[in-house]
Amino acid sequence: MGHGWVVARAIAGAFVVAACAPSPAPQSAASPSAPAKPKTLTVGVTTQLQSMGAIAGQSVGGWTTLTELHSAGLITSDVDSPRPTGRLAQNVPSLDDGTISMLPDGRMRAIYRLRHDVTWQDGAPFTAQDLAFSQTLLADKGLPITLRDGAQRIDRVQAIDDFTAAFDFRQPYYLANQLGLRTFWPQPYHLLGDAYERYRATGNADEVVNRPYWTSDYVHLGAFQVSAFDPGEGITLQAYGGFFLGKPKIDTISVRVFRDEATLLASLFAGAVDLFPDPALQGQLASDLRQRWAADGGGTVFSRAGPTYFLSPQWRPGVQREPANLDVRVRQALYQAIDREGLSELVEPAWSLIPPGDPLYEATQDGLRRYPYDPARSRALLQEAGWTAGPDGALVNGSDGRRFHNTLSTVDSGRLWEVAAYADFWRRTGLEVDEVQTPAAQARDLEFRANYPSWEVTSAGEGDAILHRLEGPAASAENRWSGNRGGYAEPATQQLLARYYGSLTDRDQAQAMHDLSERVATELPILITYYDTHYLGVRSAVRALGDIAGGQDASRPYGTYSRNAYLWDLG
């Protein structure tokens, strides 16, 4: 499958998965067996979850990988390849069958034909009217929706009938036929419609946001439904007997929150945790578990292409505590002060906007090689920008005498080593640097997250997910801080992004990506440092993750590694 526009034919992949499931063994009529003992699976994650659904968007600790435990999108990925296949949709829209078309006014239409046997976890039927309502809610800038990638590109969704929905995109969009959960998260009209109308009448977003629907009363379309929700401890999910692909084989999934990766690792060693998603366990600890399980047969640890890590400056002048960070010469200097090749043996230094292995890698290959580790060049650029070393080696501004003081912030406890490494490189250059970890209680506070003082150490998923940190609008009070967290919304870059998202051929998309790469290499709106590897694993006693070849990093628009969790089993 090309990375660009996918002209996909109807693929009933969900039926293929179900058909591959083993048939239950016949029971003897003469000697009926005792009731089967309920099957419980324990999953370990390393970050608290404050809310569910499109309002959550939790990307660290492993939660996003688990979204298809409890929720379902129109599209997911196939069993043995990341090819898109229908989930709530009967098939993938395509140019071949006319379900993708261009409208006379330049808009694009995608027709999604829905399965007729899907119900919400309270038994209510799922229909195209839910999708029309979903677009209205997801696109509402007065609500703190964190996952609205598709909705912001859609003009409207029309329910042609109960099982046919027409998505009209404002312009050609290369993912119009790949609306998985992350791109377009369906919302239940029968549960949220009244609350949304009250919000529209009063202007009070709490009418929607503060409903227990987003926590303990969450209802969606996945194989498992929430039965208990505790941000500090985790969530308990029960098998939904009405799941349209068949009742799950596991009865209960307990997702436990661990305070750190070392504690999770100890529980995996002890057999108290059956499965961990990416990226709950990272780096050396995941490597240690892989060696242990390989030696004693305790389980399997899989490694997959992971996210791109980078530093993002605070682009709002009123928030950025050190204005010098907004000078491109200073960003070049800070970039060349970092030894990407010396960061860690467990990561791959990044020299391109897109990582190796991606179909668009060649369009960006070595675009960042112009910024090698060069402390002397770094100091020269800083001096050119007005910063000279004082008697103690600290950088001092030539105009007002202030010291160069930066803050490195991160939400991910697993990345503290990385923060320390960057801080050390910058201190050697003469900067004063504070290292800050965002408290867990504020990790889901969008306003707090958007107002980091200098630099954020963070990541984006594999492939082109990095582009979302270049995309406007900037997060603000007006959009309830759901826009670009770093505040970057430079017009020329937005035009290049629009070209890329509207490219419907591989050739056009590669050219657009090349031009984006050149823009990033010239302006350095973010400092890309390395590509990581993600790990996920399962104990030998659990039958799960056999479809990993078709799964994708949770930042992709569709197809997480939990997409076929209804087939997971014990024994």
Side-chain angles (χ1 to χ4, degrees), residues 154-374:
I154 297 169
D155 185 31
R156 65 174 177 173
V157 176
Q158 297 175 291
I160 296 175
D161 57 43
D162 282 350
F163 301 106
T164 310
F167 286 70
D168 291 344
F169 291 81
R170 294 188 175 92
Q171 59 190 21
Y173 180 45
Y174 79 125
L175 296 178
N177 66 341
Q178 299 174 36
L179 297 184
L181 270 174
R182 192 168 183 87
T183 315
F184 191 88
W185 200 298
Q187 307 296 315
Y189 176 72
H190 70 290
L191 295 177
L192 295 176
D194 289 346
Y196 184 76
E197 290 304 320
R198 290 195 297 273
Y199 150 66
R200 292 299 300 270
T202 64
N204 182 7
D206 289 343
E207 294 282 1
V208 175
V209 176
N210 286 346
R211 290 181 62 82
Y213 172 81
W214 305 106
T215 53
S216 57
D217 290 354
Y218 183 73
V219 168
H220 213 263
L221 303 159
F224 296 88
Q225 59 192 113
V226 175
S227 61
F229 183 98
D230 184 332
E233 298 296 326
I235 62 175
T236 302
L237 300 147
Q238 300 294 334
Y240 174 48
F243 183 57
F244 56 94
L245 294 178
K247 187 178 184 300
K249 299 178 182 297
I250 299 291
D251 298 291
T252 303
I253 293 182
S254 173
V255 185
R256 291 180 54 195
V257 173
F258 290 84
R259 68 177 182 272
D260 54 47
E261 293 184 32
T263 308
L264 170 58
L265 179 64
S267 291
L268 285 161
F269 281 159
V273 172
D274 300 303
L275 183 150
F276 71 93
D278 63 321
L281 198 65
Q282 305 176 77
Q284 188 61 53
L285 296 182
S287 180
D288 292 345
L289 179 64
R290 169 180 272 175
Q291 294 178 20
R292 169 81 167 265
W293 274 358
D296 64 15
T300 302
V301 175
F302 303 94
S303 59
R304 308 292 289 173
T308 298
Y309 278 83
F310 60 96
L311 295 96
S312 174
Q314 173 60 257
W315 280 95
R316 301 173 188 82
V319 181
Q320 174 61 256
R321 292 184 185 173
E322 178 44 75
N325 290 316
L326 302 181
D327 184 333
V328 67
R329 294 170 299 176
V330 170
R331 295 196 298 278
Q332 291 171 350
L334 296 181
Y335 206 14
Q336 293 198 253
I338 296 172
D339 182 4
R340 280 172 273 177
E341 292 182 316
L343 277 176
S344 170
E345 296 179 354
L346 298 173
V347 302
E348 180 180 357
W351 302 108
S352 309
L353 179 62
I354 299 296
D358 189 274
L360 287 177
Y361 171 65
E362 288 188 6
T364 71
Q365 185 174 359
D366 292 336
L368 300 174
R369 286 276 183 188
R370 67 193 73 175
Y371 301 110
Y373 176 52
D374 189 340

Side-chain angles (χ1 to χ4, degrees), residues 287-494:
S287 180
D288 292 345
L289 179 64
R290 169 180 272 175
Q291 294 178 20
R292 169 81 167 265
W293 274 358
D296 64 15
T300 302
V301 175
F302 303 94
S303 59
R304 308 292 289 173
T308 298
Y309 278 83
F310 60 96
L311 295 96
S312 174
Q314 173 60 257
W315 280 95
R316 301 173 188 82
V319 181
Q320 174 61 256
R321 292 184 185 173
E322 178 44 75
N325 290 316
L326 302 181
D327 184 333
V328 67
R329 294 170 299 176
V330 170
R331 295 196 298 278
Q332 291 171 350
L334 296 181
Y335 206 14
Q336 293 198 253
I338 296 172
D339 182 4
R340 280 172 273 177
E341 292 182 316
L343 277 176
S344 170
E345 296 179 354
L346 298 173
V347 302
E348 180 180 357
W351 302 108
S352 309
L353 179 62
I354 299 296
D358 189 274
L360 287 177
Y361 171 65
E362 288 188 6
T364 71
Q365 185 174 359
D366 292 336
L368 300 174
R369 286 276 183 188
R370 67 193 73 175
Y371 301 110
Y373 176 52
D374 189 340
R377 176 60 178 160
S378 175
R379 294 187 184 95
L381 283 167
L382 287 167
Q383 185 170 0
E384 180 183 324
W387 295 90
T388 56
D392 59 357
L395 288 177
V396 178
N397 187 270
S399 62
D400 59 16
R402 75 182 189 279
R403 293 193 172 202
F404 200 138
H405 191 108
N406 260 339
T407 300
L408 288 165
S409 306
T410 187
V411 69
D412 188 352
S413 61
R415 295 294 126 189
L416 294 179
W417 69 267
E418 181 184 353
V419 172
Y422 299 145
D424 180 56
F425 287 129
W426 287 357
R427 287 174 185 136
R428 294 184 210 171
T429 311
L431 278 70
E432 295 179 348
V433 185
D434 294 332
E435 304 170 39
V436 176
Q437 182 186 358
T438 302
Q442 294 172 307
R444 298 311 309 157
D445 184 331
L446 298 182
E447 180 178 0
F448 183 88
R449 291 285 305 277
N451 283 279
Y452 57 89
S454 300
W455 292 85
E456 181 186 37
V457 178
T458 187
S459 66
E462 61 179 292
D464 65 1
I466 189 73
L467 300 183
H468 294 307
R469 284 306 293 263
L470 306 176
E471 187 177 354
S476 65
E478 287 70 28
N479 57 30
R480 293 181 68 94
W481 305 99
S482 60
N484 187 322
R485 188 162 64 237
Y488 185 76
E490 195 275 328
T493 305
Q494 305 313 302

Side-chain angles (χ1 to χ4, degrees), residues 99-115:
T99 50
I100 293 285
S101 61
M102 295 301 299
L103 302 178
D105 59 5
R107 292 181 299 160
M108 170 180 281
R109 173 167 291 178
I111 301 293
Y112 279 85
R113 298 190 177 106
L114 308 181
R115 295 179 60 120

